[in-house]
Amino acid sequence: MITLQDLTVKLGNFTLDTINLNVNAGEFFILLGPTGAGKTVIIETIAGMIPPTSGTILVNGRDITNSVPERRGIGIVYQDYALFPNLSVVENIRFGLRYIKGRKDKQELWVQTLLQKLGIEEIKDRSVKNLSGGEQQRTALARALAVKPSVLLLDEPLSALDPQFRKEIRTMLQQIHQEFGMTMIMITHDLTDAVELGQRVAIINRGSIEQTGDIAQVFQNPATSFIKTFLQHTAPVAEASC
């Protein structure tokens, strides 16, 4: 479980204001809201990339508020992949393992398992500069999963993909969630992603949570006029038929 208690973050003129949120263990949770609402600030604070001004972050009952990122057991995947251009696919995937204690043979076996599961074994030695969008996103997912995180944070992982790859990666995220039972929090602007992947959702606006609940319930019964208008203007991304 992830628990945010009275979390506040001040960044210049922006304030993430007194966020209280519970994400259940093994849940696929969605963060929705307009650009600049504070969604990425929330997940980067959970990941340890932004220090909170006040408040507490708990993961499975452990206070990680002041822990360094590599000791939080959290993986993060961005929409632009953030791969290391000078490394190959498999070198990118192995990168985070240097911070993890454990037997190297078991770590390498897990890397090989991820290459197979994510369908990138044949391109493992290729430079990431020569990958398609879908291949880059698969590599970014494998790199995040290599350290066996208890939580996976996804910052609009599908938005930069064309419709074919978007459906492909969405299906892959469903499979990863079902197979590993991993807690996931995903930022998206697309209602199709939210409905097909998520179980519960929080709507963020101007640094505050306006509503939290089951996706169907929130979509059918928006609590504020902002949420109603936001949902009406947040159209699903058109996808090619298969």
Side-chain angles (χ1 to χ4, degrees):
M1 175 185 287
I2 303 168
T3 302
L4 307 182
Q5 298 176 341
D6 297 329
L7 189 70
T8 298
V9 180
K10 294 184 179 180
L11 293 171
N13 294 324
F14 176 81
T15 298
L16 192 67
D17 189 25
T18 317
I19 299 296
N20 288 285
L21 182 67
N22 288 312
V23 178
N24 298 322
E27 185 172 31
F28 203 125
F29 196 90
I30 301 293
L31 294 179
L32 278 175
T35 300
K39 304 180 299 299
T40 298
V41 175
I42 289 176
I43 67 169
E44 289 190 336
T45 303
I46 293 172
M49 302 168 72
I50 296 176
T53 304
S54 61
T56 304
I57 305 169
L58 303 174
V59 174
N60 297 323
R62 181 170 67 97
D63 188 340
I64 64 165
T65 310
N66 299 309
S67 299
V68 294
E70 57 266 27
R71 296 191 179 277
R72 295 190 177 211
I74 292 174
I76 188 167
V77 177
Y78 288 100
Q79 64 178 11
D80 61 356
Y81 322 123
L83 298 172
F84 301 110
N86 59 316
L87 301 180
S88 68
V89 168
V90 72
E91 288 169 340
N92 265 276
I93 295 170
R94 291 184 184 127
F95 186 84
L97 294 174
R98 66 186 64 190
Y99 303 108
I100 305 298
K101 293 181 180 179
R103 288 177 50 180
K104 298 302 180 184
D105 57 338
K106 288 188 175 182
Q107 291 180 345
E108 186 58 27
L109 180 60
W110 177 234
V111 169
Q112 297 306 316
T113 299
L114 288 173
L115 288 167
Q116 294 173 4
K117 284 185 178 294
L118 298 181
I120 50 177
E121 187 175 21
E122 293 185 359
I123 61 169
K124 66 179 182 179
D125 296 318
R126 189 184 301 177
S127 167
V128 296
K129 297 177 183 178
N130 301 319
L131 303 182
S132 67
E135 289 168 340
Q136 289 184 64
Q137 194 58 281
R138 286 169 182 260
T139 302
L141 280 168
R143 185 178 64 183
L145 292 170
V147 297
K148 294 188 175 180
S150 60
V151 176
L152 184 61
L153 307 174
L154 303 158
D155 190 357
E156 297 198 59
L158 309 179
S159 64
L161 302 177
D162 65 31
Q164 176 186 350
F165 288 135
R166 191 181 188 95
K167 279 184 96 169
E168 176 184 303
I169 300 299
R170 187 191 293 145
T171 298
M172 185 166 296
L173 289 173
Q174 288 174 323
Q175 292 171 344
I176 290 170
H177 182 246
Q178 291 169 3
E179 182 170 352
F180 300 128
M182 186 179 297
T183 305
M184 295 186 175
I185 301 178
M186 186 174 85
I187 295 171
T188 182
H189 280 95
D190 184 66
L191 299 189
T192 299
D193 294 342
V195 170
E196 293 201 10
L197 290 171
Q199 295 163 296
R200 290 193 304 135
V201 63
I203 309 290
I204 317 296
N205 184 35
R206 296 182 179 180
S208 298
I209 295 178
E210 293 216 357
Q211 187 175 1
T212 304
D214 292 340
I215 287 181
Q217 179 185 18
V218 170
F219 285 10
Q220 292 170 11
N221 300 288
T224 66
S225 58
F226 161 77
I227 295 174
K228 184 177 181 180
T229 301
F230 173 75
L231 293 176
Q232 288 173 344
H233 290 84
T234 305
V237 172
E239 294 181 343
S241 60
C242 295

